[in-house]
Amino acid sequence: MDVLVIGNGGREHAICRGLKLSPETGKLYCAPGNPGIGEIAELVPIKVEEIDAIANFAAEKNIGLVVVGPEVPLCLGVADAVRAKGIPVFGPSKDGARLEGSKDFSKAFMMKYGIPTAAYGSFDNREDAIAYVKKEYAAGRGVVVKADGLAAGKGVIVAANEQEALDAVEICFDGAFGSAGARVVIEELLIGEEASILALTDGNTIVPLVSSQDHKRLLDNDMGPNTGGMGAYSPAPVVTKAVMDEVTENVLTPFLKGVQAEGFLYRGIIYAGIMVTAQGSKVLEFNVRFGDPETEAILPRLESSLFDALYKTATGKLAEAELVWTEKPSACIVMASGGYPAGPLSKGHAISGIADAEKNGSIVFHAGTKMEGDTLTNSGGRVLVVANVGETMEAAVAGAYEAVRKISWQDVQYRSDIAKRAFIKR
Ligand code: AMP
Ligand code: GLY
C-alpha cells in the first residue's frame, strides 16, 4: 500500500525509515521531506501547512495511509481534510489537536478528566497575571509562564525568581510569541525528573510505546536555553514499571475517556510529557504527535512492522496490532547549527562524514539539511540526529558519539552528555 508522510525533520526521517522496513509499504512519498528522506522516499514539493494540497495529492495518487509528523498541520485540520477524501490518516482531528495547540484548552481538559498536572491560572490580561504571580511567590511557590498557543517550543519560561516571572508575563503580553501570547498560562513549578510517554490510540484502545527521555536544554548538565530537544534515549530508567502503571492508570486511561466523551476522532499519537515528582507523575504538556528527537531513539527499537501499527491505529483496529520491541537500549544525539536556538544560525556549510559515521551501525537522520548543487549543507537549527542501538546503554551512547565525531561542518554544536541520567544509581 502506498504511504504519504507529512513533515521534513528527523522525526519524519525515522518514520519513513520504519515504514520502508515494513513489508506492507508500497511506494513511499514524503511532503516536503529533506535530502536524507529523499534517499528512501519520493519527495513531494508541498508544504506541511498546505492541507488542501496534501489531501488532493493523497487522493490523486490513491494513497492508502497518510502519516502526519508535525503539530502545525494537525492543528490546521489536515487529518480531517484527508479523511474527507476517504483515506485513513495517522493523526488526530483538528479538535483533538487543540490539546497541543492551546495550553489553556489542554489544562482544562486535564482538570475535567482528573489527569494530574500542575496547579495553574489562565489569563488574558496582564494585571490579573501579575497579581497571580505575586500571590504564588508570597505563598512560597515558584511558577512557569507559558504562552497559550503554539510557539515552536519557545513559549515556556521556567522562572528562576519572581522578577523573571513578572518579566515573562510582560514579554508574553508584549507579543514576543505573537498571537500565541495573547493568553498566558501560569503554572506551579514542579520539581522532579522528566520523561516522555508516547502512546498509540485509535480512540478505542491505547498502547504505550517504550519510554524515553529528551534533553531540552542546549548545553551539558541541563544548562542554557530550552530547545526543541538535543538528544534522547530509550528506555528511561526513571520510568519504572510502577511509574508506567501509574501513568497508564492516571493519565492514559482518563485521556482516552476524555477524547471519547468530547467526541474527538483521535487516531494517532498522544505524547504526555511528564514530571515524576515526590507526589506522583504529573503531566507537563500533551503533544498530539511523535516527539522529536524521542522518535529517533524509539523507532529504531521497534522490531515489528511500523506500517502495521500505524495503519491499524488509523483504521480503528489498534487492538489487533502487536508491537515487538528489542530489549536493547538506544540513544540519539542532535547535531545543531551554530547559533541554535536563538539565532542567527550559521548556515550553508558543507557537511562531511555521514557515510563514515554509519559504518558502526549508527543511523544518521536528517533534519535541517539541504542540497546546494552536489553538496549537502546545514539549513536549519537541528541538522542531523545520530542514533545507535546497543547491547547496553553505555554501548549505545558510545556508538552514537563515535559516529557523531566522524561528522563535521563549521560551527556545529551538540551536547556531550546525552543519556547521563540513565547512569544515575536509583
Ligand atoms: P512544555 O512545552 O509545556 O512541556 O514546557 C517545556 C519545558 O518546560 C518542559 O519540558 C519542562 O522542562 C519545563 N516545564 C514546563 N512546565 C513546567 C512545570 N510546571 N514545572 C517545571 N518545569 C516545567
Ligand atoms: N522533544 C520534545 C517535543 O517533541 O516536543
Side-chain angles (χ1 to χ4, degrees):
M1 190 176 282
D2 296 351
V3 184
L4 170 64
V5 175
I6 308 302
N8 61 356
R11 165 182 54 207
E12 287 77 19
H13 195 176
I15 292 170
C16 283
R17 175 180 176 274
L19 288 169
K20 196 76 191 170
L21 291 172
S22 305
E24 304 90 338
T25 304
K27 192 158 177 156
L28 183 61
Y29 297 91
C30 185
N34 63 39
I37 297 173
E39 290 172 15
I40 53 174
E42 182 172 321
L43 302 185
V44 183
I46 300 177
K47 295 199 189 80
V48 302
E49 298 85 2
E50 295 173 328
I51 63 173
D52 292 331
I54 290 168
N56 290 336
F57 178 86
E60 252 165 51
K61 295 285 180 184
N62 214 7
I63 298 291
L65 173 67
V66 175
V67 180
V68 186
E71 62 278 16
V72 168
L74 290 168
C75 291
L76 291 172
V78 72
D80 313 79
V82 174
R83 254 181 220 119
K85 304 271 183 194
I87 300 167
V89 191
F90 183 88
S93 57
K94 185 176 179 176
D95 48 9
R98 286 180 71 202
L99 288 167
E100 176 164 359
S102 164
K103 302 237 181 238
D104 179 50
F105 178 80
S106 187
K107 293 292 280 190
F109 178 91
M110 290 186 236
M111 291 293 160
K112 186 167 175 189
Y113 295 100
I115 297 171
T117 186
Y120 79 110
S122 176
F123 304 95
D124 62 6
N125 72 83
R126 40 184 111 205
E127 292 68 34
D128 291 349
I130 287 168
Y132 186 86
V133 168
K134 289 189 170 157
K135 181 172 74 73
E136 288 299 294
Y137 278 90
R141 293 187 286 265
V143 304
V144 178
V145 178
K146 301 185 176 185
D148 177 48
L150 286 180
K154 291 178 197 137
V156 174
I157 299 143
V158 181
N161 52 50
E162 182 171 350
Q163 193 54 53
E164 261 189 47
L166 293 171
D167 291 346
V169 169
E170 300 287 357
I171 289 168
C172 284
F173 284 115
D174 284 346
F177 308 111
S179 60
R183 176 170 280 281
V184 170
V185 166
I186 304 178
E187 277 189 13
E188 163 199 12
L189 179 75
L190 297 175
I191 310 292
E193 189 172 340
E194 280 183 57
S196 305
I197 308 285
L198 281 68
L200 295 174
T201 183
D202 62 356
N204 305 307
T205 308
I206 194 157
V207 178
L209 309 184
V210 289
S211 67
S212 61
Q213 192 176 56
D214 183 15
H215 297 63
K216 297 251 154 88
R217 302 293 188 114
L218 179 69
L219 304 173
D220 284 3
N221 297 314
D222 297 325
M223 306 292 278
N226 262 338
T227 69
M230 294 301 290
Y233 65 98
S234 169
V238 67
V239 184
T240 57
K241 178 161 185 318
V243 168
M244 192 54 126
D245 288 348
E246 183 201 329
V247 170
T248 301
E249 184 180 333
N250 296 341
V251 178
L252 300 182
T253 304
F255 166 82
L256 189 56
K257 285 208 182 99
V259 299
Q260 288 168 349
E262 300 291 326
F264 301 154
L265 187 56
Y266 204 108
R267 292 179 169 175
I269 280 277
I270 178 67
Y271 159 155
I274 60 161
M275 184 78 91
V276 182
T277 77
Q279 290 79 40
S281 298
K282 299 194 180 183
V283 176
L284 293 172
E285 63 167 346
F286 279 135
N287 293 318
V288 299
R289 37 87 195 163
F290 279 107
D292 195 351
E294 289 93 329
T295 304
E296 293 93 304
I298 290 174
L299 290 187
R301 296 186 61 210
L302 183 67
E303 290 184 328
S304 52
S305 159
L306 178 65
F307 176 92
D308 184 69
L310 303 187
Y311 187 73
K312 285 183 174 152
T313 305
T315 52
K317 298 193 173 118
L318 177 57
E320 295 169 19
E322 200 192 336
L323 278 76
V324 182
W325 302 95
T326 175
E327 292 286 320
K328 292 181 189 171
S330 64
C332 69
I333 322 293
V334 172
M335 302 181 75
S337 293
Y340 179 73
L345 301 177
S346 175
K347 292 194 289 194
H349 306 299
I351 300 171
S352 67
I354 292 181
D356 209 15
E358 288 184 322
K359 283 187 184 143
N360 75 350
S362 294
I363 312 161
V364 178
F365 295 115
H366 289 230
T369 64
K370 188 169 143 189
M371 290 305 293
E372 289 188 41
D374 288 339
T375 308
L376 184 74
T377 64
N378 66 317
S379 63
R382 295 188 291 176
V383 179
L384 297 175
V385 185
V386 180
N388 190 284
V389 179
E391 289 298 328
T392 60
M393 187 61 82
E394 285 86 345
V397 173
Y401 275 111
E402 183 185 50
V404 161
R405 284 190 294 269
K406 301 231 163 96
I407 299 173
S408 64
W409 69 85
Q410 193 183 315
D411 301 330
V412 57
Q413 49 170 347
Y414 55 87
R415 277 179 65 157
S416 69
D417 67 344
I418 297 304
K420 193 181 71 178
R421 284 178 190 276
F423 307 119
I424 297 173
K425 273 225 161 62
R426 286 164 202 279

